[in-house]
């Protein structure tokens, strides 16, 4: 494994980091936990002249509830910090559980929620559940900042709308009426497995009527995607096993998976249907789990 | 068997336990020497290409580069592991034969400079068409991997014992099935590494090897040196499983680089390079036919196999023979035919992986036997018990079996797993399967032809008797041989385990031993150790006889105390007698050596599979299948092994768990995948799916009370035998759960899902 040469920068503030990115331009790559960037460098997929490490930006490591806004999570929050957050466990246990099952303990200690988002791959485990929970993100640059729904951030395989010079600062999960949410990941072993398919859902129940639902798919298209057809179908309906199965079929039909080392497109489409049905049932029965 | 042993038969702590768990243990890659350089090998990016030119001039100019070598700088003599087919060069001369074939090497002041230097070596290739599908390697018009091997045939075997056609013609039921096995890789946790250095004409190599002796032999041969001038030292080693048995190229390249630079050179493979060097399990195509009588008694079996050898022979000739040789072990039948082609392809070479050639054929045969049982309406357990091999029998291919408790293993695992109850009551989607296995207790013949003993040992009692050091060439690769050999030495001497020290696997200090392969050390190294210990004890008792004025045959020594068998109160300590011996007679030493008897028949290939003793075992596994996704949950596994006397129960069950773990991976999860250019797609541990701790099911491992009359204290094999049944056991459990058979390994979730889907579609068509 050969690591190409690079210069290493450790800005002390977000402002300083943004200024550095402006100065260095295209040669610079932002380094958070490094679990994706360093791997790409080692296998020769990335050779940045400069790495701008965010490790000193401790402000971006906090999780807090801001009244009127929701839960705000710094982009540098590690997967294990999400897993162990009392606040998240109490409000949306589905998110800590998704963080916990995504990788080995070492990776969960280093990897960050921001990195998991910005890396942009369709198999990432946190974006689906965050999108299901209607999360938004804040991107900061020297020219100011912009906020957008997380689902608008991705627009192709490993492609996102982030601009050169922008840093993902934090993620906000708004206070919401959703009564349940979950993420089911289908991996080929019980630990350290990438998702063959992952399905995150959130549901808002009124008695046994589904007022609203979100269905978000991982590894089922070039980018993380919402199964809007399935969501529209579910909205306002009384739940039954047949209904959830039909929603699964619709999500399956909407998905656009490809053949890969982990499974054929046909198998993945089947998994989307099965997991969607199961995830909906779980969120309806168990709340945020 | 009465058991009055004091040291063996107990789960004493591992002798290397504290070093390993505290991280103090030094593996080859941890060692540093003054002035040490780092070496890396440049490998081929093409599966098959002619080398037009190699230009090293730019690399040589790079600061920090101390040497660059190609085929021009090393001996041209071909090497390998199987002497009948030495077909590898240290560096490729005319052409490269797989992605990863060795082309050049550099020695530099640090690792980083190595990578820079490798990039500066310019190799011009003419890319040739490649043979990537072994099923078509023998076809007309295929390119030749080695020009001298027509139709890419590396090894061809045609054996017949008894009269197969006649027996099949007379059989009540004849069935043929075809199965396909995949390529897997050993994936030891420790990467291969070697540190080479010269003092004058003497070469010393620290190496992560399973056999210092074979390394010494092959390195001396390659460089035309006397073996006495080559010293191989094995530091702590982190797993081999057959993948570290042979020269890797690291030691040849390292030795030449060290000679050139006059400095120690450390060469090593990273994870991807380990996969490229490979020597893992062959992919195999296996057609099996058997004829049985109406009760399911096997009358004849026919095995028609083909295996993907990759670009070189490695230990593959033996793998090819083993594939057929061990098939008639667990069940008795007289008529047997075995045909095999091992072919060359432009893929990494395959070799000996835990269980060697046996696990995949066993998968095929055990799956096939369940199909036969289903055809006849016989319980899978019953058909196996009906055919189980008995002790003191000879296989059709002339292997003599002494101890054998195959039937007892099956009966015990039936009981332990609750087989009969489960067979009746398991709900839909749950299944239970059984399979058997057997393995050699050491190979009857060495890898290269020699009449040297297979194992030897010395024991030195320290001058004051407070410690004894065992010197053995045997190799602890993690399985615990250092521990059990010290137990055996202490037992034979009448000493205490806690006072034993060990020096192992250093060709200059320790006596000859062929090393850790073919599950040989407990039996063969143990035989030599026992003899050495007994020689110590005899000398001690003679000295004590003088000191106590009692006849030596009235004396016994146990756990460090020498006492009279007939008179109370007459005793001496081991220490005082040993010290007296040293004062009066000089060093107290014991010596031992082991050579197996002449074994096997006289037909071509009769030697492969011979062994002084064979282990037997039976496994039952229960699985639960998620019918919507094909996901397999392993509910439990029960293993019963006939492995002779157990020296250390904890380590023995550790071997069973480890063998099962590897067998499980091969059954459902692991496969080395290639793209259409012959490049490995998953030469890393994210997509080459080794199982993790949380994937392991509850395992109940037990042994039958067996005794092998030829072995020291009655021991036999355990380390590889428990891999052999596992693949077939999974196949049968999944078959039981779903009612359909997946005919190729690995039995992935997707294949299971597809098989279920096809079954459903078929049933719907019939219903319509």
């Amino acid at each position: 494994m050969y690591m190409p040469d690079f210069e290493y920068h450790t800005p002390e503030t977000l402002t300083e980091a943004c200024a550095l990115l402006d100065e260095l331009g295209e040669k610079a790559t932002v380094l958070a936990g490094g679990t994706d960037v360093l791997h790409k460098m080692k296998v020769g997929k990335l050779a940045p002249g400069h790495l701008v490490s965010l490790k000193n930006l401790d402000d971006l490591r906090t999780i807090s509830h801001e009244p009127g806004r929701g839960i705000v999570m710094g982009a540098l929050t590690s997967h294990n910090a999400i897993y162990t957050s009392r606040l998240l466990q109490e409000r949306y246990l589905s998110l800590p559980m998704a963080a916990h099952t995504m990788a080995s303990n070492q990776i969960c200690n280093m990897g960050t929620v921001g990195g998991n988002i910005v890396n942009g791959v369709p198999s990432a485990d946190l974006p689906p559940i965050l999108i299901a929970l209607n999360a938004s993100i804040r991107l900061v640059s020297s020219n100011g900042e912009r906020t957008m729904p997380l689902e608008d951030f991705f627009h192709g395989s490993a492609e996102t709308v982030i601009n050169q010079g922008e840093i993902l600062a934090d993620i906000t999960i708004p206070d919401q009426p959703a009564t349940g949410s979950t993420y089911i990941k289908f991996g080929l072993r019980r630990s350290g497995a990438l998702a063959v398919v992952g399905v995150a859902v959130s549901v808002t129940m009124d008695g046994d009527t589904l007022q609203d639902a979100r269905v978000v798919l991982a590894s089922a298209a070039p980018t993380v995607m919402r199964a809007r057809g399935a969501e529209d179908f579910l909205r306002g309906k009384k739940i039954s096993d047949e209904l959830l199965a039909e929603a699964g079929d619709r999500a399956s039909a909407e998905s656009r998976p490809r053949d890969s080392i982990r499974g054929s497109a046909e198998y993945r489409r089947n998994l989307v249907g099965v997991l969607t049905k199961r995830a909906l049932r779980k969120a309806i029965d168990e709340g945020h789990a | 068997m009465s058991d009055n042993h004091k040291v063996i038969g107990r789960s004493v702590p591992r002798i290397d336990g504290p070093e390993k768990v505290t991280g103090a243990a030094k593996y080859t890659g941890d060692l540093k020497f003054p002035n040490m350089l780092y070496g890396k090998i440049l490998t081929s990016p093409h599966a098959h290409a002619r080398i037009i030119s190699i230009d090293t001039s730019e690399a040589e100019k790079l600061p920090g580069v101390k040497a660059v070598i190609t085929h021009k700088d090393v001996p041209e003599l071909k090497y390998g592991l199987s002497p009948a087919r030495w077909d590898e060069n240290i560096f490729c001369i005319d052409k490269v034969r797989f992605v990863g074939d060795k082309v050049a090497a550099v020695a530099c002041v640090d690792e980083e400079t190595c990578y820079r230097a490798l990039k500066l070596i310019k190799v011009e290739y003419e890319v040739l068409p490649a043979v990537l599908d072994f099923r078509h390697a023998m076809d007309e018009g295929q390119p030749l991997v080695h020009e001298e091997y027509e139709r890419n045939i590396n090894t061809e075997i045609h054996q017949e014992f008894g009269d197969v056609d006649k027996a099949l013609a007379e059989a009540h039921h004849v069935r043929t099935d075809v199965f396909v096995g995949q390529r897997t890789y050993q994936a030891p946790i420790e990467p291969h590494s070697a540190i080479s250095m010269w003092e004058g004409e003497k070469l010393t190599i620290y190496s992560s090897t399973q056999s210092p002796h074979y390394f010494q032999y092959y390195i001396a041969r390659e460089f035309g040196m006397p073996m006495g001038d080559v010293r191989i030292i094995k530091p702590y080693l982190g797993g081999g499983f057959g993948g570290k048995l042979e020269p890797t190229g690291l030691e040849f390249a390292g030795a030449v680089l060290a000679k050139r630079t006059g400095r120690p050179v450390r060469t090593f493979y990273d994870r991807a390079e380990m996969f490229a060097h490979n020597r893992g399990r062959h992919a195999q195509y296996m057609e099996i036919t058997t004829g049985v009588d109406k009760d399911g008694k096997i009358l004849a079996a026919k095995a028609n196999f083909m295996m993907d050898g990759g670009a070189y022979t490695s230990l593959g000739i033996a793998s090819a023979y083993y594939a057929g040789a061990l098939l008639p072990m667990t069940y008795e039948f007289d008529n047997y035919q075995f045909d095999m082609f091992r072919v060359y392809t432009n893929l990494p070479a395959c070799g000996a992986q835990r269980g060697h050639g046996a696990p995949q054929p066993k998968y095929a045969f055990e799956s096939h036997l369940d199909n036969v049982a289903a055809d006849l309406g016989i319980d899978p357990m019953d058909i196996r018990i009906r055919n189980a091999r008995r002790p003191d029998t000879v296989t059709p291919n002339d292997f003599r079996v002494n101890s054998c408790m195959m039937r007892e293993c099956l009966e015990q695992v039936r009981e332990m797993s609750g087989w009969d109850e489960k067979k009746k009551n398991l709900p839909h989607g749950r299944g239970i399967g059984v399979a058997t296995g057997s393995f050699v207790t050491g190979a009857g013949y060495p890898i290269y032809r020699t009449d040297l003993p297979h194992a030897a040992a010395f024991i030195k009692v320290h001058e004051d008797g407070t410690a004894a050091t065992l010197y053995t060439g045997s190799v602890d690769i993690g399985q615990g041989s250092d521990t059990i050999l010290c137990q055996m030495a202490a037992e034979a001497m009448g000493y205490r385990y806690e006072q034993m020290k060990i020096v192992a696997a250093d060709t200059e200090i320790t006596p000859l031993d062929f090393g850790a392969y073919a599950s040989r050390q407990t039996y063969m190294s143990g035989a030599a150790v026992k003899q050495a210990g007994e020689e110590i004890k005899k000398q001690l008792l003679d000295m004590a006889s003088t000191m106590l004025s009692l006849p030596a045959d009235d004396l016994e020594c146990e756990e460090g105390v020498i006492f009279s068998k007939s008179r109370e109160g007459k005793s001496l300590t081991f220490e005082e007698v040993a010290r007296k011996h040293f004062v009066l007679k000089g060093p107290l030493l014991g010596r031992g050596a082991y050579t197996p008897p002449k074994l096997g028949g006289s037909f071509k290939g009769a030697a492969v599979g011979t062994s002084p003793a064979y282990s037997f075992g039976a496994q039952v596994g229960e699985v639960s299948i998620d019918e919507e996704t094909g996901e397999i949950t392993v509910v439990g596994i029960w293993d019963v092994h006939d492995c002779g006397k157990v020296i250390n129960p904890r380590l023995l069950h550790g071997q069973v768990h480890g063998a099962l773990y590897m067998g499980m991976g091969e059954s459902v999860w692991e496969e080395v995948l290639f793209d259409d250019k012959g490049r490995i797609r998953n030469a890393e541990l994210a997509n080459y799916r080794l199982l993790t701790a949380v994937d392991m099911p509850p395992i109940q491992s037990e042994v039958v009370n067996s005794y092998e009359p030829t072995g020291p204290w009655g021991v036999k094999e355990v380390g590889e035998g428990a891999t052999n049944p596992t693949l077939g056991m999974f196949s049968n459990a999944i078959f039981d759960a779903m009612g359909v058979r997946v005919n190729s390994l690995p039995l992935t979730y997707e294949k299971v899902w597809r098989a279920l889907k096809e079954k459903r579609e078929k049933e719907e068509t019939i219903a319509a």
Side-chain angles (χ1 to χ4, degrees):
Chain A
M1 292 282 178
Y2 173 65
M3 184 74 99
D5 280 349
F6 57 88
E7 270 187 61
Y8 184 62
H9 308 270
T10 55
E12 296 293 328
T13 64
L14 190 54
T15 315
E16 208 182 300
C18 290
L20 257 173
L21 288 183
D22 287 346
E23 181 193 321
L24 299 168
E26 304 246 311
K27 288 175 291 179
T29 291
V30 172
L31 181 73
T35 55
D36 287 308
V37 168
L38 297 184
H39 175 71
K40 283 183 196 165
M41 288 171 72
K42 281 191 169 182
V43 299
K45 284 187 188 162
L46 187 68
H50 299 264
L51 279 181
V52 177
S53 169
L54 306 183
K55 71 173 190 176
N56 292 334
L57 310 189
D58 289 335
D59 291 352
L60 301 189
R61 257 182 254 282
T62 56
I63 307 174
S64 60
H65 184 256
E66 294 180 16
R69 204 177 151 198
I71 291 177
V72 181
M73 212 170 16
L76 295 182
T77 307
S78 72
H79 308 313
N80 268 345
I82 291 175
Y83 173 54
T84 55
S85 159
R86 176 69 63 86
L87 180 62
L88 288 172
Q89 285 175 7
E90 281 168 4
R91 296 264 182 142
Y92 308 107
L93 183 58
S94 51
L95 180 57
M97 292 317 289
H100 181 52
T101 52
M102 67 185 286
S104 68
N105 204 36
Q106 291 90 330
I107 298 285
C108 285
N109 275 332
M110 293 303 294
T112 65
V113 57
N116 199 234
I117 292 169
V118 173
N119 193 41
V121 296
S123 59
D125 290 304
L126 294 182
I129 186 65
L130 286 168
I131 292 171
L133 293 170
N134 201 15
S136 61
I137 56 171
R138 189 167 65 97
L139 298 168
V140 175
S141 71
S142 302
N143 304 323
E145 62 175 64
R146 54 180 178 147
T147 299
M148 66 174 74
L150 176 57
E151 62 181 282
D152 295 344
F153 183 68
F154 306 99
H155 77 112
S157 182
E159 280 179 46
T160 70
V161 301
I162 200 164
N163 293 321
Q164 174 63 43
E166 277 185 319
I167 292 172
L168 171 59
D170 49 46
I171 299 104
T172 302
I173 304 170
D175 291 340
Q176 56 191 292
T179 54
S181 64
T182 197
Y183 174 63
I184 299 183
K185 163 180 170 169
F186 190 83
L188 296 177
R189 62 182 168 197
R190 292 204 176 149
S191 172
L194 290 163
V196 182
V197 163
V199 176
V201 300
S202 69
V203 295
T204 307
M205 298 300 294
D206 180 9
D208 52 7
T209 301
L210 254 172
Q211 279 197 331
D212 198 10
R214 284 180 162 232
V215 177
V216 191
L217 313 178
S219 288
T223 176
V224 58
M225 66 170 276
R226 276 180 73 179
R228 288 183 187 271
E231 293 176 4
D232 292 344
F233 167 74
L234 289 166
R235 200 164 295 122
K237 295 220 174 68
K238 229 177 125 162
I239 53 154
S240 68
D241 287 343
E242 293 71 33
L243 181 87
L244 303 187
E246 172 68 23
D249 290 345
R250 285 174 186 246
S252 176
E254 285 175 77
S255 67
R256 291 172 283 127
R258 62 182 178 96
D259 291 333
S260 91
I261 200 167
R262 288 184 284 280
S264 68
E266 186 195 1
Y267 183 52
R268 289 182 143 146
R269 259 194 302 275
N270 167 70
L271 289 173
V272 168
V274 175
L275 301 186
T276 297
K277 175 181 71 176
R278 291 180 183 178
L280 286 166
R281 173 53 71 189
K282 190 173 172 201
I284 291 165
D285 290 351
E286 299 174 33
H288 297 284
Chain B
M1 202 62 12
S2 79
D3 187 350
N4 52 5
H5 303 306
K6 302 295 176 190
V7 193
I8 61 169
R10 280 152 217 263
S11 296
V12 302
R14 287 182 70 114
I15 202 158
D16 53 2
E19 279 69 23
K20 284 187 171 168
V21 300
T22 57
K26 294 278 180 263
Y27 296 77
T28 304
D30 295 324
L31 302 178
K32 290 199 166 54
F33 294 87
N35 278 324
M36 187 173 84
L37 296 172
Y38 294 76
K40 284 300 286 184
I41 294 175
L42 179 72
T43 61
S44 160
H46 305 295
H48 198 192
R50 201 168 302 290
I51 298 173
I52 307 295
S53 66
I54 306 175
D55 178 0
T56 61
S57 55
E58 288 301 311
E60 282 159 25
K61 283 184 218 153
L62 184 73
V65 175
K66 297 300 177 189
V68 184
I69 56 172
T70 68
H71 67 88
K72 291 182 185 140
D73 307 291
V74 300
E76 283 194 8
L77 184 67
K78 288 193 171 173
Y79 72 91
L81 195 54
S82 300
R85 303 270 191 288
W86 280 325
D87 55 9
E88 292 188 64
N89 282 109
I90 298 177
F91 297 119
C92 297
I93 299 171
D94 300 320
K95 63 177 195 173
V96 291
R97 293 181 172 83
F98 72 98
V99 177
D101 218 352
K102 302 180 289 294
V103 175
V106 298
C108 308
V109 292
D110 55 32
E111 193 176 335
E112 226 182 305
T113 309
C114 287
Y115 292 112
R116 287 177 207 284
L118 291 182
K119 285 199 166 179
L120 295 175
I121 299 175
K122 292 190 190 76
V123 187
E124 196 188 333
Y125 292 104
E126 176 199 341
V127 177
L128 301 170
V131 187
L132 300 177
D133 180 354
F134 77 100
R135 296 291 311 286
H136 295 291
M138 284 161 53
D139 291 357
E140 201 66 36
Q142 283 286 304
L144 292 179
V145 179
H146 295 264
E147 276 67 22
E148 56 275 42
Y149 291 95
E150 285 176 21
R151 295 173 63 214
N152 289 314
I153 298 171
N154 168 263
T155 305
E156 184 172 350
I157 305 168
H158 304 286
Q159 297 177 337
E160 186 174 351
F161 310 97
D163 191 337
V164 174
D165 290 338
K166 180 165 173 283
L168 289 179
E170 291 168 2
H172 166 72
H173 178 61
V174 176
R175 184 186 167 104
T176 299
D177 285 304
V178 170
F179 299 93
V180 180
Q182 86 282 36
R183 176 192 285 252
T184 57
Y185 177 55
Q186 293 95 343
I189 195 163
E190 180 209 12
H192 304 63
S193 177
I195 301 172
S196 309
M197 59 195 75
W198 294 81
E199 294 161 81
E201 291 307 306
K202 188 183 136 191
L203 171 63
T204 298
I205 304 181
Y206 292 81
S207 173
S208 50
T209 172
Q210 293 178 230
S211 175
H213 173 75
Y214 287 135
F215 264 45
Q216 181 190 27
Y217 173 80
Y218 284 108
I219 288 160
R221 178 184 166 274
E222 189 67 19
F223 294 123
M225 296 167 68
M227 278 179 71
D229 279 349
V230 177
R231 179 183 187 184
I232 308 294
I233 303 168
K234 181 226 60 139
Y236 282 108
L237 194 140
F241 316 109
K244 291 177 179 166
L245 187 54
E246 60 197 87
T248 57
L250 294 173
E251 57 300 295
F252 293 135
V256 174
L257 290 168
K259 184 87 174 175
R260 285 239 163 165
T261 57
R263 292 164 70 166
V265 176
R266 178 184 163 222
T267 48
F268 53 98
Y269 285 146
D270 65 24
R271 188 59 62 180
E273 291 164 340
M274 291 166 73
F275 273 87
H277 170 67
N278 212 269
R279 323 286 153 153
R281 180 92 66 219
H282 294 72
Q284 274 188 80
Y285 171 89
M286 299 165 287
E287 181 189 279
I288 298 220
T289 302
T290 58
V292 295
D293 71 10
K294 61 181 181 359
D295 300 320
K297 179 86 191 74
I298 303 167
L299 304 173
K302 229 175 177 172
N304 184 15
F305 293 175
M306 190 172 176
M307 67 186 354
D308 178 0
Y312 296 106
T313 300
S314 178
L315 199 54
I317 299 176
S319 317
Y321 276 101
Y322 263 118
L326 294 184
L327 261 191
M329 288 309 300
T330 66
Y331 307 120
E332 285 184 25
F333 49 86
D334 297 328
N335 305 295
Y336 178 48
Q337 184 180 330
F338 171 47
D339 296 283
M340 161 70 90
F341 288 96
R342 181 184 191 268
V343 295
Y344 282 120
T345 58
N346 290 114
L347 296 173
C350 299
Q353 181 167 327
R354 202 169 195 165
H356 209 164
Q360 287 188 1
K362 211 51 185 139
Y363 150 72
F365 196 88
E366 294 287 328
S367 303
H368 169 77
L369 189 57
D370 260 32
N371 290 350
V372 170
D375 291 345
L376 299 180
I378 302 176
D379 181 282
M381 191 66 85
D382 289 336
I383 201 170
R384 286 171 172 78
I385 290 176
R386 205 160 289 163
N387 286 289
R389 177 162 297 286
R390 292 161 297 174
D392 300 313
T393 50
V394 178
T395 67
N397 47 343
D398 287 350
F399 300 156
R400 170 158 293 286
V401 174
N402 310 311
S403 61
C404 171
M405 297 180 76
M406 187 66 258
R407 186 191 172 102
E408 290 80 355
C409 287
L410 283 161
E411 285 168 345
Q412 192 167 324
V413 83
R414 173 180 220 151
E415 181 73 32
M416 222 164 96
S417 62
W419 174 272
D420 293 323
E421 200 52 39
K422 284 180 175 157
K423 203 70 194 160
K424 272 182 271 172
N425 298 333
L426 278 186
H428 189 65
R430 286 279 276 268
I432 188 161
V434 60
T436 62
S438 170
F439 203 65
V440 298
T441 303
Y445 295 87
I447 289 177
Y448 70 92
R449 193 176 287 251
T450 175
D451 59 358
L452 287 167
H454 288 215
F458 313 145
I459 299 171
K460 175 191 91 172
V461 179
H462 295 217
E463 54 276 13
D464 65 352
T466 57
T469 303
L470 169 64
Y471 295 81
T472 167
S474 66
V475 186
D476 196 327
I477 61 175
Q479 81 284 48
S481 61
D482 281 358
T483 301
I484 63 111
L485 291 173
C486 281
Q487 283 182 267
M488 291 168 112
E491 182 71 42
M493 292 160 67
Y495 204 42
R496 284 183 292 265
Y497 168 74
E498 293 73 17
Q499 286 169 275
M500 289 301 304
K501 318 285 171 199
I502 185 163
V503 175
D506 175 339
T507 59
E508 194 152 299
I509 296 173
T510 61
L512 169 70
D513 191 294
F514 289 155
Y517 70 100
S519 292
R520 55 179 295 286
Q521 293 190 147
T522 305
Y523 184 106
M524 295 188 177
S525 312
V529 167
K530 180 169 188 274
Q531 196 185 358
E534 285 167 352
E535 194 174 301
I536 299 270
K537 187 166 173 179
K538 180 173 184 306
Q539 295 173 77
L540 269 181
L541 295 186
D542 284 347
M543 179 54 61
S545 163
T546 310
M547 292 166 74
L548 291 168
S549 303
L550 287 170
D553 59 12
D554 179 45
L555 298 175
E556 183 50 273
C557 180
E558 284 176 359
E559 295 181 279
V561 180
I562 295 160
F563 56 92
S564 162
K565 287 187 266 189
S566 61
R567 295 161 209 227
E568 288 272 325
K570 283 279 194 180
S571 70
L572 292 166
T573 64
F574 186 107
E575 283 85 347
E576 56 193 328
V577 181
R579 189 176 189 288
K580 182 66 87 182
H581 185 284
F582 202 100
V583 171
L584 296 179
K585 297 189 175 177
L588 177 52
L589 302 171
R591 298 171 309 154
Y594 173 78
T595 304
K598 184 174 170 0
L599 296 163
S602 54
F603 56 91
K604 188 177 180 217
V608 184
T610 58
S611 177
Y614 297 88
S615 74
F616 295 87
Q619 268 172 21
V620 167
E622 185 182 342
V623 300
S624 167
I625 311 274
D626 182 332
E627 299 209 15
E628 289 184 317
T629 64
E631 186 174 9
I632 299 162
T633 302
V634 188
V635 179
I637 295 177
W638 299 264
D639 180 287
V640 179
H641 223 77
D642 161 12
C643 54
K645 167 75 184 170
V646 178
I647 303 299
N648 186 315
R650 193 186 292 132
L651 286 175
L652 177 118
H653 293 298
Q655 283 295 296
V656 172
H657 281 232
L660 244 170
Y661 164 84
M662 289 187 76
M664 273 183 69
E666 289 190 55
S667 300
V668 183
W669 290 274
E670 296 178 33
E671 180 170 21
V672 179
L673 298 165
F674 294 93
D675 67 10
D676 60 2
K677 299 271 191 293
R679 293 173 298 207
I680 303 179
R681 297 172 71 196
N682 55 347
E684 31 77 16
L685 301 182
N687 289 302
Y688 186 82
R689 281 182 296 278
L690 298 171
L691 289 177
T692 69
V694 293
D695 292 294
M696 290 306 284
I699 294 166
Q700 199 179 340
S701 160
E702 288 188 6
V703 296
V704 289
N705 188 13
S706 103
Y707 182 86
E708 167 57 40
T710 65
W713 291 288
V715 305
K716 290 202 285 188
E717 182 279 344
V718 70
E720 298 179 76
T723 297
N724 281 338
T726 312
L727 290 65
M729 178 269 283
F730 267 96
S731 173
N732 290 339
I734 293 167
F735 176 59
D736 187 49
M738 315 198 297
V740 281
R741 175 77 66 186
V742 177
N743 285 330
S744 69
L745 293 168
L747 311 162
T748 60
Y749 303 165
E750 181 168 351
K751 284 187 197 168
V752 168
W753 168 76
R754 198 171 294 282
L756 280 165
K757 179 169 166 273
E758 282 163 6
K759 183 189 172 201
R760 250 191 328 266
E761 285 165 359
K762 211 166 160 187
E763 285 164 359
E764 280 161 14
T765 315
I766 292 166

